Amino acid sequence: MSVMDIFETMDYGPAPEGASPALAWLKEHQPFNLFINNQWVQPASGQYLDSVNPANGKVLTQVASANSADVDAAVAAASAAFEKWGKTPGHVRARYLYALARQIQKHSRLLAVLEALDNGKSIRETRDIDIPLVARHFYYHAGWAQLMASELPGYQPLGVVGQIIPWNFPLLMLAWKIAPAIAMGNTVVLKPARYTPLTALKFAEIVQESGLPPGVINILTGEASQVGEALVRHPGIKKIAFTGSTDVGRSIRRATAGSGKKLSLELGGKSPFIVFDDADLDSVVEGVVDAIWFNQGQVCCAGSRLLVQENIADRLLSKLLIRMERLRVGDPLDKAIDIGAIVSSTQLQEIQRLVARGVEEGAQVWQPSWACPTDGYFFPPTLFTNVSPASTIAQVEIFGPVLVAMTFRTPAEAVELANNTRYGLAASVWSDNINLALDIAPKIKAGSVWVNCTNLFDASSGFGGYRESGFGREGGKEGLYEYVRHAWEAQLASPSGYTPTGRAANGASSSSFTDSLLAGIDDELDGLSAPETIELPAIDRTSKLFIAGKQARPDSGYSRTVYDPAGQALGEVGDGNRKDLRNAVEAAHKASGWATGTTHNRAQILYYMAENLSVREDEFARRIVQQTGRSHVDAMSEVQTAISRLFSYAAWTDKFEGGVHRPPLRGVVLAMPEAIGVIGIACPDDYPLLGFISLVAPAIAMGNTIVVIPSQIAPLSATDSYQVFETSDLPAGVVNIVTGERDALSQVLAEHDDVDAMWYFGTAEGSKRVELASVGNMKRTWVNYGRTRNWLDSVQGEGQEFLRAATQVKNIWVPYGE
Ligand code: NDP
């Protein structure tokens, strides 16, 4: 072969990385036991599982198969360790995280080789991407451990955290989970994926070397049915952090419902890769290679849907086919290959099944002319054209090196196609027109948007999904909140205040005020001056529902009587049902322009609401007195706090700003808190006005539109506020109010696929039902587990906790430079 030939073909020989040190390390340790309390412990079952190299199907080693007894032991170790670790000064924790980062760097090549052997991903990627990002994650979070006391004042760790990770980025997912958890003072029990336990076991050794206190990090290998499920259900665990499939995420949501465990889920995706006709097509081709052939396409945020502007589609696709022909599939330890092995035969078969389905559905399939190696689990880079947007391959996560291409004509059509998925993890936008790219980015429902780049990750920038891609963020300051809680939450009152009193209409029992409120009622009534009671308005009208800016009769044609604490009828409200909620959700969707209007305008309307409420404060106070029997003075203070709260959220509207992250990149990452969409809100019974305003105001301040179920037993403060809304220029449909039985209505909203989040402040049982019902579209939930907070208190009743619940962070990556 002449130099000229070589220049033409750009062919090159293999560049193998030696596996001997990694194989020797495996041999020395095998079989691997469980890592509990910094000790290697034999599994209770006495059983071990094979770990297989997917590039050749050979067994690499055996790892312990843990069961629920081991989970008990690990949780006990982590609980004991938490007593001290949770109180360890941030600086000390920072030093441990720093030590872990240093050790990871020192063992980086061994880790890179082990990862390639165990997972089948190329050494080029494990060496240059996975392992450096792992170290960076520990360094970055060492910083947050150091700064926790000053930057998260009033917050404390949760306790023992259960973490379940997938096989596609084994050590990186471990780092994403463990680093923030221990930085914030939690202790951890982590389960690696069945297919890829090895780097986690090497990491365990690093934990020992770094001298972390025993029990802070515990690692249990084994199977989902034995370890994963036991972790999820374990009562000693305060939070579950999971990355994996949407189906398993859903089952974890069900299993933890009502338990009070915090939950973050990073699930699947079907991310769009949008190419406008002014994009640099050669860069786009390399972008596509990264988007879908990186890690064999086994990436939750893989750009698996190529959306190309119609007039450049042929040109781009022909360039892409040429590039595909040049890609190399083969031995992951060869530094010159582009695509390694699929993680397992099961995953390979699933990819083959879905590709066959694409062909059956009439799409045109393109693959390179060369053949893949046959001694392992390999699959060639694959492209589908002539794909219909509703077809299986355009909708289902294939989780392999398979790209589907579709075309669009206008930017609006691109956005529509991009959002035509149940997922919302990431998106890539390619255009040389920055105005266009930055106009499109906020319109795409996804947690990360990459402009003229793709698959960039960094510890500084939160990662996570919208919609059925899950909730919660990993990385960035936003990710820390997944691992902390307010110190006052530990002292929250139990739900005992919610005892049915039978004061609601239609024979329905209802929740009541808190014990503390009830205790004072008789005294307060005695203390009321006679004129105050006589002047109360007569029962003269039935409040209707409030939907699309209009008062609407309930579909049921029934009303509910509202009683005072002495059992006297005060008035009537509509008894809302499923149909009313459907109309309300529809109205809320129609009002979605509220999110795209200016924050200044939203702030003005909230101030205006405060002004209009203040004009009628006496009337509102009297209504509270009627419904609760509390003193007028007390009621006035509730109204005034509600007015102040409207001021607070008017102020926050243009001040809850997000941030600009500083990853190691020539560029910026804009972290934008965005409205979630339509939020269903079930209000607490105590503080009929303040509970209502405290939830409505932050939700609409952040641009959401809402469907609110007011207090079941004291709904009149909410229904009286229709006029406040009407006179405050609040656009129709932004706030919709449906009165009725709180738990029945909440259930409907929590199940509704067009509701994006559900907030519920009621009973423990109702909270559980909301969490269970939310799995349909994996909506975000915020529930109180029947615990009452003090709504009058500005720490518990308002602030950033509410704003975070009302938003989801989108990270927009914008590289710069020529
Ligand atoms: P899973 O979601 O099944 O597994 C992810 C992790 O969860 C693993 O550690 C697994 O354990 C564990 N797990 C599984 N079931 C349960 C359960 N009921 N309770 C607790 N833990 C559980 O992903 P798969 O490995 O089966 O992959 C299937 C599909 O999931 C892929 O084809 C892909 O579409 C998607 N996926 C998405 C990922 C992402 O990053 N978003 C990552 C991986 C997969 P074990 O390994 O022992 O089964």
Side-chain angles (χ1 to χ4, degrees):
M1 185 183 279
S2 70
V3 172
M4 202 51 210
D5 290 339
I6 293 172
F7 191 75
E8 270 304 311
T9 62
M10 291 299 279
D11 216 355
Y12 39 90
E17 170 78 23
S20 322
L23 295 174
W25 183 81
L26 290 176
K27 201 162 169 206
E28 190 186 313
H29 288 72
Q30 85 169 15
F32 285 86
N33 283 315
L34 306 171
F35 187 71
I36 302 175
N37 243 340
N38 281 10
Q39 311 276 330
W40 294 101
V41 180
Q42 289 187 357
S45 67
Q47 288 176 357
Y48 292 82
L49 303 163
D50 287 342
S51 193
V52 172
N53 179 347
N56 57 23
K58 291 193 181 138
V59 174
L60 284 165
T61 188
Q62 274 89 36
V63 302
S65 176
N67 65 18
S68 59
D70 303 305
V71 172
D72 288 344
V75 174
S79 300
F82 176 68
E83 292 303 312
K84 208 162 164 201
W85 183 252
K87 300 184 191 99
T88 300
H91 175 64
V92 177
R93 292 202 306 274
R95 286 172 88 129
Y96 281 116
L97 275 127
Y98 183 78
L100 287 172
R102 298 279 292 176
Q103 285 302 108
I104 286 161
Q105 285 185 315
K106 282 188 226 161
H107 294 288
S108 61
R109 194 50 76 99
L110 176 58
L111 287 166
V113 175
L114 271 179
E115 199 78 303
L117 285 172
D118 202 22
N119 168 280
K121 58 169 72 191
S122 76
I123 181 76
R124 192 173 51 80
E125 290 175 5
T126 60
R127 182 196 60 198
D128 298 345
I129 299 171
D130 294 60
I131 309 305
L133 281 176
V134 169
R136 159 97 179 126
H137 227 77
F138 281 97
Y139 280 127
Y140 175 81
H141 284 94
W144 278 124
Q146 176 77 25
L147 299 177
M148 181 179 176
S150 63
E151 296 308 301
L152 287 103
Y155 283 91
Q156 57 177 217
L158 302 169
V160 181
V161 175
Q163 305 187 315
I164 300 171
I165 56 172
W167 42 260
N168 53 346
F169 292 91
L171 193 63
L172 186 57
M173 289 302 103
L174 173 149
W176 281 24
K177 298 277 180 292
I178 289 183
I182 64 171
M184 294 295 103
N186 302 279
T187 56
V188 166
V189 180
L190 176 129
K191 176 198 147 10
R194 164 79 185 82
Y195 297 137
T196 53
L198 300 185
T199 44
L201 295 168
K202 175 65 200 164
F203 176 79
E205 208 173 66
I206 287 175
V207 169
Q208 280 179 322
E209 287 165 6
S210 308
L212 252 84
V216 171
I217 295 173
N218 305 276
I219 296 178
L220 301 181
T221 50
E223 291 181 298
S225 59
Q226 298 294 314
V227 193
E229 291 182 16
L231 262 182
V232 167
R233 293 185 188 280
H234 201 291
I237 283 189
K238 299 288 184 265
K239 180 208 160 83
I240 293 289
F242 170 81
T243 299
S245 59
T246 295
D247 285 347
V248 173
R250 200 169 260 130
S251 81
I252 292 177
R253 168 70 292 177
R254 280 196 197 98
T256 55
S259 66
K261 286 188 178 108
K262 246 183 140 143
L263 184 62
S264 49
L265 299 174
E266 200 268 273
L267 309 175
K270 191 78 183 174
S271 299
F273 186 105
I274 306 169
V275 187
F276 287 99
D277 60 6
D278 58 357
D280 168 4
L281 292 194
D282 292 322
S283 305
V284 168
V285 168
E286 291 316 305
V288 171
V289 170
D290 260 356
I292 188 66
W293 295 312
F294 165 57
N295 207 32
Q296 297 67 252
Q298 303 167 133
V299 184
C300 48
C301 53
S304 51
R305 286 185 300 144
L306 174 62
L307 310 180
V308 200
Q309 202 150 16
E310 197 177 72
N311 53 334
I312 52 153
D314 288 346
R315 217 151 37 95
L316 176 60
L317 293 176
S318 53
K319 276 177 184 279
L320 204 51
L321 290 173
I322 293 169
R323 184 71 175 92
M324 279 167 69
E325 190 65 26
R326 294 268 164 100
L327 290 170
R328 287 178 155 209
V329 174
D331 179 7
L333 288 182
D334 180 350
K335 297 182 197 96
I337 66 111
D338 298 296
I339 301 178
I342 301 299
V343 75
S344 71
S345 61
T346 317
Q347 283 297 313
L348 179 61
Q349 283 159 21
E350 182 60 6
I351 296 167
Q352 288 163 338
R353 183 184 74 78
L354 285 165
V355 167
R357 186 72 197 269
V359 174
E360 272 164 35
E361 285 180 342
Q364 164 94 52
V365 65
W366 303 88
Q367 288 178 333
S369 59
W370 42 258
C372 285
T374 50
D375 49 356
Y377 315 131
F378 293 96
F379 198 83
T382 300
L383 167 69
F384 275 107
T385 56
N386 194 26
V387 176
S388 124
S391 62
T392 309
I393 52 170
Q395 291 294 329
V396 170
E397 184 180 39
I398 299 176
F399 227 64
V402 183
L403 179 67
V404 300
M406 288 168 273
T407 59
F408 65 87
R409 289 187 186 162
T410 61
E413 210 186 327
V415 170
E416 203 167 310
L417 264 180
N419 288 336
N420 178 24
T421 166
R422 62 196 177 106
Y423 296 113
L425 199 50
S428 214
V429 180
W430 294 74
S431 166
D432 271 3
N433 178 350
I434 193 73
N435 293 341
L436 175 64
L438 290 182
D439 182 43
I440 297 294
K443 293 181 179 158
I444 298 174
K445 296 199 185 306
S448 295
V449 178
W450 293 292
V451 173
N452 292 328
C453 58
T454 192
N455 274 342
L456 293 183
F457 313 98
D458 185 60
S460 66
S461 306
F463 183 86
Y466 283 26
R467 301 169 158 182
E468 291 186 40
S469 291
F471 43 77
R473 293 290 178 269
E474 295 188 296
K477 188 174 183 187
E478 59 259 43
L480 303 179
Y481 293 103
E482 301 296 331
Y483 289 100
V484 293
R485 63 174 180 176
H486 282 292
W488 57 259
E489 280 185 57
Q491 279 96 47
L492 269 192
S494 78
S496 59
Y498 288 94
T499 44
T501 61
R503 285 189 283 116
N506 298 350
S509 68
S510 75
S511 314
S512 153
F513 309 97
T514 59
D515 283 345
S516 58
L517 281 175
L518 281 171
I521 283 175
D522 289 345
D523 299 347
E524 303 283 13
L525 281 174
D526 289 348
L528 279 178
S529 64
E532 274 182 317
T533 37
I534 290 163
E535 278 177 23
L536 295 177
I539 307 165
D540 56 3
R541 54 188 267 260
T542 298
S543 301
K544 300 192 184 90
L545 313 179
F546 187 64
I547 296 176
K550 296 200 185 79
Q551 300 204 26
R553 282 183 211 293
D555 167 76
S556 68
Y558 284 101
S559 298
R560 302 171 65 86
T561 308
V562 181
Y563 297 92
D564 72 10
Q568 294 248 321
L570 282 175
E572 293 188 327
V573 293
D575 195 16
N577 68 10
R578 177 178 293 271
K579 237 170 158 183
D580 301 311
L581 287 173
R582 198 187 57 198
N583 295 339
V585 171
E586 210 175 299
H589 270 286
K590 282 203 182 121
S592 62
W594 176 246
T596 47
T598 66
T599 50
H600 174 75
N601 183 46
R602 291 207 294 269
Q604 291 297 303
I605 289 172
L606 279 153
Y607 282 127
Y608 203 10
M609 280 163 57
E611 189 185 320
N612 286 323
L613 185 56
S614 124
V615 170
R616 296 171 52 189
E617 63 185 14
D618 188 54
E619 179 193 332
F620 270 87
R622 282 164 185 277
R623 192 58 115 178
I624 292 169
V625 171
Q626 279 186 316
Q627 296 176 100
T628 66
R630 281 161 37 209
S631 73
H632 192 263
V633 172
D634 197 5
M636 267 311 244
S637 121
E638 178 173 344
V639 179
Q640 276 158 4
T641 310
I643 293 167
S644 155
R645 209 141 278 172
L646 285 166
F647 260 72
S648 289
Y649 290 111
W652 273 119
T653 301
D654 52 10
K655 292 174 194 67
F656 192 60
E657 287 186 320
V660 176
H661 293 313
R662 308 294 305 273
L665 160 92
R666 273 184 78 198
V668 288
V669 178
L670 311 172
M672 303 205 322
E674 291 189 340
I676 295 173
V678 174
I679 302 183
I681 299 177
C683 297
D685 278 331
D686 40 355
Y687 301 105
L689 178 67
L690 185 60
F692 170 76
I693 293 291
S694 299
L695 294 168
V696 167
I700 64 172
M702 294 297 105
N704 299 285
T705 55
I706 59 177
V707 178
V708 193
I709 308 161
S711 158
Q712 178 172 319
I713 59 168
L716 299 177
S717 300
T719 57
D720 286 351
S721 51
Y722 297 169
Q723 283 138 2
V724 172
F725 297 141
E726 282 163 350
T727 50
S728 305
D729 293 343
L730 185 73
V734 172
V735 175
N736 304 276
I737 299 174
V738 177
T739 46
E741 200 184 322
R742 182 184 51 217
D743 283 8
L745 296 175
S746 296
Q747 177 87 16
V748 176
L749 280 179
E751 282 170 355
H752 201 303
D753 277 350
D754 276 338
V755 173
D756 302 295
M758 180 73 204
W759 299 357
Y760 173 92
F761 288 79
T763 61
E765 184 50 35
S767 299
K768 179 176 180 177
R769 280 206 297 265
V770 162
E771 289 189 336
L772 277 174
S774 70
V775 299
N777 65 349
M778 294 304 286
K779 61 175 63 65
R780 284 173 58 178
T781 54
W782 185 27
V783 303
N784 70 337
Y785 302 110
R787 292 175 305 200
T788 54
R789 59 173 73 206
N790 179 358
W791 293 98
L792 282 171
D793 179 59
S794 62
V795 177
Q796 295 187 26
E798 71 175 76
Q800 298 211 20
E801 180 190 11
F802 291 75
L803 297 168
R804 278 197 301 277
T807 52
Q808 49 196 345
V809 179
K810 172 181 281 175
N811 278 280
I812 303 178
W813 292 66
V814 189
Y816 44 65
E818 281 293 311

